[in-house]
Each structure stands twice: as structure tokens, then as C-alpha cells.
Amino acid sequence: MYIVTVDIEKCKGCGDCVDACPGQQLALVEEDGKKYAMFKGSPDDCLGCLACQEGCADGAITVTEL
Ligand code: SF4
Ligand code: SF4
């Protein structure tokens, strides 16, 4: 099981992680005019492949094994 956290201070809302995830576990959300990525999946469904973490140029994503 994995948990994926997004540092919304660092996230630029580019969507690269959303596109990189093979399991559609991430989505872009917009709040107060700021767009950022959010983990929408469940810890059971995340593959732990790190594509999102490695694909984020801003270092905003951390994947942690539970
Ligand atoms: S790739 Fe990084 S900066 Fe882009 S939406 Fe995902 S977390 Fe945010
Ligand atoms: S670790 Fe892989 S499966 Fe899990 S959210 Fe990131 S890209 Fe998707």
C-alpha cells in the first residue's frame, strides 16, 4: 500500500503527474483560483511505480509505502 502526498505550495498544477500515472490515481483540482494535483485513489490501488514522483519537475510529490 502506498500513500501519495502533494505539497500544494510547490505544485504548479501542470498535470504532468496526472498524465504519468498508469492507474489514474491523480487528478487536478482547483481551489481559490489555484490548481494543484491531488491523490484521488486509494492506498490499495496505487502501484507504487513512482512515475508521478519522478515525473514532477517541482518535487511536489512524495510516494510513501505504508
Ligand atoms: S507534476 Fe508536480 S507540479 Fe505538476 S501537477 Fe503534478 S505535483 Fe503539481
Ligand atoms: S506511484 Fe504510480 S500508481 Fe501511484 S499515484 Fe504515482 S504514478 Fe500513480
Side-chain angles (χ1 to χ4, degrees):
M1 295 207 301
Y2 298 88
I3 192 79
V4 181
T5 54
V6 178
D7 183 336
I8 63 170
E9 297 299 321
K10 291 183 181 172
C11 177
K12 304 286 194 298
C14 67
D16 287 353
C17 58
V18 176
D19 295 338
C21 178
Q24 286 89 47
Q25 301 292 300
L26 295 152
L28 283 181
V29 296
E30 194 164 351
E31 197 177 80
D32 297 331
K34 181 179 166 57
K35 226 186 246 186
Y36 57 90
M38 183 181 275
F39 183 60
K40 291 285 203 180
S42 80
D44 287 327
D45 294 334
C46 171
L47 306 169
C49 67
L50 303 182
C52 54
Q53 182 177 298
E54 290 170 356
C56 178
D58 297 285
I61 293 199
T62 307
V63 179
T64 307
E65 190 167 8
L66 296 177

